Amino acid sequence: MNQIQRLGRATIDTLERLGRATLFLLRVLRATRTLTGRFRLVVQQVYSVGVMTLVIVLVSGLFVGFVLGLQGYNTLVRYGAESSLGLLVALSLTRELGPVVTALLFAGRAGSALAAEIGLMKTTEQLAGMEMMAVDPMERIVAPRFVAGVIAMPLLAAIFSVVGVFGGYLVGVGLMGVDGGLFWSQMRSGVGIYNDVLGGVVKSVVFGVIVTWIAVFEGYDAQPTAEGVGRATTRTVVTSSLAVLGLDFIMTALMMRGL
Amino acid sequence: MIRVGANTDKQRETRSVVHGTVYHQQEILIAAASSAIGVPGARRVDPYAVLPYNGPPCKKYMTCKGKGPVPVLEPKKPLVEIRNVSFHRGERTIFEDLNLTIARGKITTIMGGSGIGKTTLLNLIGGRLAPDRGNVIVEGLDVVTLRRHALYRLRRRMGMLFQSGALFTDLSVFENVAFPLREHTALPERMIRLLVLMKLELVGLRGARELLPNELSGGMARRAALARAIVLDPIVVMYDEPFAGLDPISMGVIVRLIRDLNDTLGMTSIIVTHDVAEACSISDYMYLLGDGHVLSEGTPEDIRKSDMPSVRQFVGGLPDGPVSYHYPAADYFEDLRGPGG
Ligand SMILES: Nc1ncnc2c1ncn2[C@@H]1O[C@H](COP(=O)(O)OP(=O)(O)OP(=O)(O)O)[C@@H](O)[C@H]1O
Ligand SMILES: [Mg+2]
C-alpha cells in the first residue's frame, strides 16, 4: 500500500512539475517579444554560451571523428567498401552524432551553468530586486538566455559535424590510406541536403529548445538555497540528457517514416 | 515636476523637449542635479518621466504616457494603507487583520521580532506577494488588483533596499546604480554618469564605483544598494534592516542619510528593523508588530513611555513576556523528556 501511495505521489509531483514547466515556457515565449528592442542582450548571451561550449565541442568533435574514421574503416574494409568512409562519417555526424553529442555537451556545460546562474540570482535576491526596480526578470534575464541557447545549439552542432568530418578525414586518409578524392566525392554525392542535413538541423534546434528550456526552468524554480541551486544544476543535466536521447529516438523514427 | 523627453536622434545630444518646450541639455542637467542633491526650491525632475521620444516635437509625447493609471500625488492621503490584511504561509498565519498606514513624507518604522513577517510586509506593499484577504493601497492604487503593467509603473516610483543588498554580482557598483536609469530612461550617457556619481557621493562610495559587489564589505554593499534604490528619485523607499551589521560610523551616516533623503527630497521612508534605539532616534512614527497584528503604535516618545507589557518587553529586550520569543513549539519539558518518556 505504501509503495503504491509513493508511486502515486511521485507521479502527481512529476505531472505537476511538467505543468509548471509548460506554463513557464509560455511565459518565456511571451517575454521574448520584448527582445526585439534589446537584441544586444541576446547577442551577449550567444557569445557567452559560445565561449563556454566552443572548445569542448571542437575537441569532442575531432575525437569522435577520429573514432568514426577508425571504426568505419575497420568495418568497411571487410567488404572492400572503404572508399565510402567519407559518406559513412558524414552521415553519422550530420544525422545523429552531431546534434545528439553536441546537445549532451551543451547540457553539461552551458545548461548547468545557466541553471546555476539563474538559481544563484534567485538565492541572492537579485531577481526580486529586479522586480522591485520594475524590470521583469523574465524579460531581462530568462528570455535572452533562452533565445541565445536556441540559436547557439544548431551552430555548435554544425561546428561539431564539420570538425568531426575533418577528424574522420585525418584518420581515414592520413592514417589508413583511403583515397582522398574518393573520400570527398562519395560524401558529396551521398549526403542529401533535405534528408540528412536538414534533419540534423531540425534535431539540433529541437534539442536547443529542450535543453535551454529545462536549464532556465530549473534555475528559476530552484529552492533559494545553496543546496537548491546544486540540485537544480544536477537535475538540469540529468533531465535534459534523458530528454535529448528520448526525443532523438522519436524524431529519428518519425523522419524515417517520412522518407 | 517637469517631464523630459529626449528629442530626435540628431538633437538628442543637445536638446530635449520638456512639457512642449525645448530645453537645452544644460538646463535639464542643472534641474536634475539640483533636485537630486536637494537644493531648496529646485524644480523636481522625475527621471521616470524621462522617456525615449522619437516622434515630431511635443504634442504627441504629451499623450504617449503609456497604458494604465498614472499614480497621482494626493498630498492629503496617506501614502500606504494596509487594510484588514491577512496572510498565511501554508498552515502558518503571518498576518491576521493587519491595519496600518504610512504617512506621506514621514519616516515610519515597523518593528517586530525576527520572523514576525517584516520582510513579508514590505513584499506585500511592493506587490510581490498577494494577501489572502484585505487591501494594500499605495498612492491610492490597490496593489492587489493592479494589472501587471500598472504595478510596474508604480514600482518605478518605489525604492527598496533589500536585507542582503541584492546587488547584481556581475556588474560594478557604478553599473548597478546605473541599471534602473538604463532600463527606464533614455538619458544620454553623460547625464547617467552625473546622476550615478551624485548618488554614490551621497553614500560615500564614489571612489568605489569600479569595484564589483564581491569586493565590498557588507556595509558597503548596503550603501551601494541604497544608492541604486534612490537613483530614480522614488516617492517611497523601503528599507529592510538598514542598520544590521553596520559599524557605528556607517550606522550614523545611514541614519542621517535616511533622514536627509526623507526631508530634502520629500521621500517617504518605511524602515523595517528590530533595532530599537536607532528606530527611536530616527522615526516620526512607529509600529510594533506581533502575533500577526499591530501591538502598539505611536511616536517614539509614546513607544518609550508606553507601559503596555508587550512594548516594554520589546524595548527592554526581555525574552519572557506577552510576545513569544519562541517559534510555536510543544512544551519544553515534555519535549526534552521525549516521546513515551
Ligand atoms: N518563501 C517562504 N516560504 C515559506 N515560509 C516563508 C517564506 N519566507 C518567509 N517565510 C516565513 O514567514 C515568516 C516571516 O518571514 P519574514 O522574512 O517576513 O520575517 P522577518 O520579520 O523579516 O524576519 P527577520 O527579521 O529575521 O528578517 C517566517 O517565519 C518564515 O518562516
Ligand atoms: Mg526580514
Short mmCIF file of all heavy atoms in Angstrom, two decimals, chain A residues 30-50:
data_model
loop_
_atom_site.label_atom_id
_atom_site.label_comp_id
_atom_site.label_asym_id
_atom_site.label_seq_id
_atom_site.Cartn_x
_atom_site.Cartn_y
_atom_site.Cartn_z
N ARG A 30 6.29 34.47 -24.25
CA ARG A 30 5.65 35.78 -24.28
C ARG A 30 6.69 36.87 -24.03
O ARG A 30 6.65 37.93 -24.64
CB ARG A 30 4.54 35.84 -23.23
CG ARG A 30 3.53 36.89 -23.56
CD ARG A 30 2.27 36.80 -22.69
NE ARG A 30 1.90 35.49 -22.26
CZ ARG A 30 1.66 35.15 -20.99
NH1 ARG A 30 1.80 36.05 -20.03
NH2 ARG A 30 1.30 33.93 -20.68
N ALA A 31 7.63 36.58 -23.15
CA ALA A 31 8.64 37.60 -22.82
C ALA A 31 9.61 37.83 -23.97
O ALA A 31 10.21 38.91 -24.05
CB ALA A 31 9.41 37.19 -21.57
N THR A 32 9.77 36.85 -24.86
CA THR A 32 10.73 37.05 -25.96
C THR A 32 10.28 38.18 -26.88
O THR A 32 11.10 38.75 -27.59
CB THR A 32 10.88 35.78 -26.81
OG1 THR A 32 9.60 35.33 -27.21
CG2 THR A 32 11.59 34.69 -26.05
N ARG A 33 8.98 38.51 -26.87
CA ARG A 33 8.52 39.60 -27.72
C ARG A 33 9.24 40.90 -27.42
O ARG A 33 9.46 41.72 -28.30
CB ARG A 33 7.02 39.83 -27.52
CG ARG A 33 6.15 38.81 -28.19
CD ARG A 33 4.71 39.16 -27.94
NE ARG A 33 4.55 39.60 -26.54
CZ ARG A 33 3.40 39.98 -26.01
NH1 ARG A 33 2.34 40.01 -26.74
NH2 ARG A 33 3.33 40.33 -24.74
N THR A 34 9.61 41.08 -26.15
CA THR A 34 10.22 42.35 -25.77
C THR A 34 11.69 42.42 -26.19
O THR A 34 12.34 43.43 -25.97
CB THR A 34 10.16 42.55 -24.26
OG1 THR A 34 10.84 41.46 -23.64
CG2 THR A 34 8.73 42.59 -23.77
N LEU A 35 12.20 41.33 -26.76
CA LEU A 35 13.63 41.32 -27.08
C LEU A 35 13.96 42.06 -28.35
O LEU A 35 15.12 42.38 -28.60
CB LEU A 35 14.12 39.88 -27.20
CG LEU A 35 14.24 39.13 -25.88
CD1 LEU A 35 14.66 37.71 -26.12
CD2 LEU A 35 15.24 39.82 -24.97
N THR A 36 12.95 42.36 -29.17
CA THR A 36 13.24 43.00 -30.45
C THR A 36 14.00 44.31 -30.24
O THR A 36 14.90 44.63 -31.00
CB THR A 36 11.94 43.27 -31.23
OG1 THR A 36 10.97 43.77 -30.31
CG2 THR A 36 11.43 42.02 -31.88
N GLY A 37 13.64 45.04 -29.22
CA GLY A 37 14.32 46.31 -28.98
C GLY A 37 15.66 46.14 -28.29
O GLY A 37 16.44 47.07 -28.20
N ARG A 38 15.91 44.96 -27.76
CA ARG A 38 17.15 44.79 -26.98
C ARG A 38 17.88 43.53 -27.42
O ARG A 38 18.19 42.67 -26.63
CB ARG A 38 16.85 44.66 -25.49
CG ARG A 38 15.80 45.60 -25.00
CD ARG A 38 15.80 45.62 -23.52
NE ARG A 38 14.77 44.79 -22.93
CZ ARG A 38 14.58 44.71 -21.62
NH1 ARG A 38 15.35 45.37 -20.82
NH2 ARG A 38 13.62 43.96 -21.14
N PHE A 39 18.12 43.46 -28.71
CA PHE A 39 18.74 42.25 -29.21
C PHE A 39 20.17 42.10 -28.72
O PHE A 39 20.72 41.01 -28.71
CB PHE A 39 18.68 42.22 -30.74
CG PHE A 39 18.64 40.82 -31.28
CD1 PHE A 39 17.52 40.03 -31.08
CD2 PHE A 39 19.74 40.27 -31.92
CE1 PHE A 39 17.49 38.73 -31.53
CE2 PHE A 39 19.71 38.97 -32.36
CZ PHE A 39 18.59 38.20 -32.17
N ARG A 40 20.73 43.22 -28.27
CA ARG A 40 22.09 43.21 -27.72
C ARG A 40 22.23 42.17 -26.61
O ARG A 40 23.22 41.47 -26.51
CB ARG A 40 22.37 44.60 -27.16
CG ARG A 40 23.80 44.89 -26.81
CD ARG A 40 23.87 46.34 -26.30
NE ARG A 40 22.83 46.60 -25.30
CZ ARG A 40 22.97 46.32 -24.00
NH1 ARG A 40 24.08 45.81 -23.55
NH2 ARG A 40 21.99 46.57 -23.14
N LEU A 41 21.17 42.05 -25.78
CA LEU A 41 21.19 41.08 -24.68
C LEU A 41 21.36 39.67 -25.20
O LEU A 41 22.10 38.86 -24.65
CB LEU A 41 19.90 41.18 -23.86
CG LEU A 41 19.70 42.43 -23.03
CD1 LEU A 41 18.33 42.41 -22.37
CD2 LEU A 41 20.78 42.52 -21.97
N VAL A 42 20.63 39.36 -26.30
CA VAL A 42 20.72 38.02 -26.87
C VAL A 42 22.11 37.77 -27.42
O VAL A 42 22.70 36.71 -27.19
CB VAL A 42 19.66 37.84 -27.98
CG1 VAL A 42 19.77 36.47 -28.60
CG2 VAL A 42 18.27 38.07 -27.42
N VAL A 43 22.64 38.76 -28.13
CA VAL A 43 23.97 38.61 -28.71
C VAL A 43 24.99 38.33 -27.61
O VAL A 43 25.82 37.42 -27.72
CB VAL A 43 24.36 39.87 -29.52
CG1 VAL A 43 25.79 39.76 -30.02
CG2 VAL A 43 23.41 40.04 -30.68
N GLN A 44 24.91 39.10 -26.54
CA GLN A 44 25.81 38.88 -25.40
C GLN A 44 25.73 37.43 -24.92
O GLN A 44 26.74 36.79 -24.65
CB GLN A 44 25.39 39.77 -24.24
CG GLN A 44 26.09 41.10 -24.17
CD GLN A 44 25.49 41.98 -23.08
OE1 GLN A 44 24.68 41.51 -22.28
NE2 GLN A 44 25.88 43.23 -23.07
N GLN A 45 24.51 36.92 -24.81
CA GLN A 45 24.33 35.57 -24.28
C GLN A 45 24.83 34.52 -25.25
O GLN A 45 25.43 33.53 -24.85
CB GLN A 45 22.86 35.32 -23.92
CG GLN A 45 22.39 36.08 -22.70
CD GLN A 45 23.26 35.80 -21.49
OE1 GLN A 45 23.66 34.68 -21.25
NE2 GLN A 45 23.58 36.83 -20.73
N VAL A 46 24.56 34.73 -26.56
CA VAL A 46 25.07 33.78 -27.55
C VAL A 46 26.59 33.72 -27.42
O VAL A 46 27.20 32.65 -27.42
CB VAL A 46 24.67 34.18 -28.98
CG1 VAL A 46 25.39 33.31 -30.00
CG2 VAL A 46 23.18 34.08 -29.17
N TYR A 47 27.18 34.89 -27.27
CA TYR A 47 28.63 34.96 -27.14
C TYR A 47 29.09 34.18 -25.90
O TYR A 47 30.00 33.35 -25.98
CB TYR A 47 29.06 36.42 -27.04
CG TYR A 47 30.54 36.60 -26.86
CD1 TYR A 47 31.40 36.47 -27.94
CD2 TYR A 47 31.08 36.88 -25.61
CE1 TYR A 47 32.77 36.62 -27.78
CE2 TYR A 47 32.44 37.03 -25.44
CZ TYR A 47 33.28 36.90 -26.53
OH TYR A 47 34.62 37.03 -26.37
N SER A 48 28.43 34.40 -24.77
CA SER A 48 28.93 33.76 -23.56
C SER A 48 28.69 32.25 -23.60
O SER A 48 29.54 31.46 -23.18
CB SER A 48 28.31 34.40 -22.32
OG SER A 48 27.20 33.70 -21.86
N VAL A 49 27.55 31.82 -24.16
CA VAL A 49 27.32 30.39 -24.33
C VAL A 49 28.34 29.79 -25.29
O VAL A 49 28.89 28.72 -25.05
CB VAL A 49 25.88 30.13 -24.85
CG1 VAL A 49 25.72 28.71 -25.32
CG2 VAL A 49 24.87 30.44 -23.78
N GLY A 50 28.61 30.53 -26.37
CA GLY A 50 29.57 30.06 -27.35
C GLY A 50 30.95 29.88 -26.75
O GLY A 50 31.59 28.84 -26.92
#
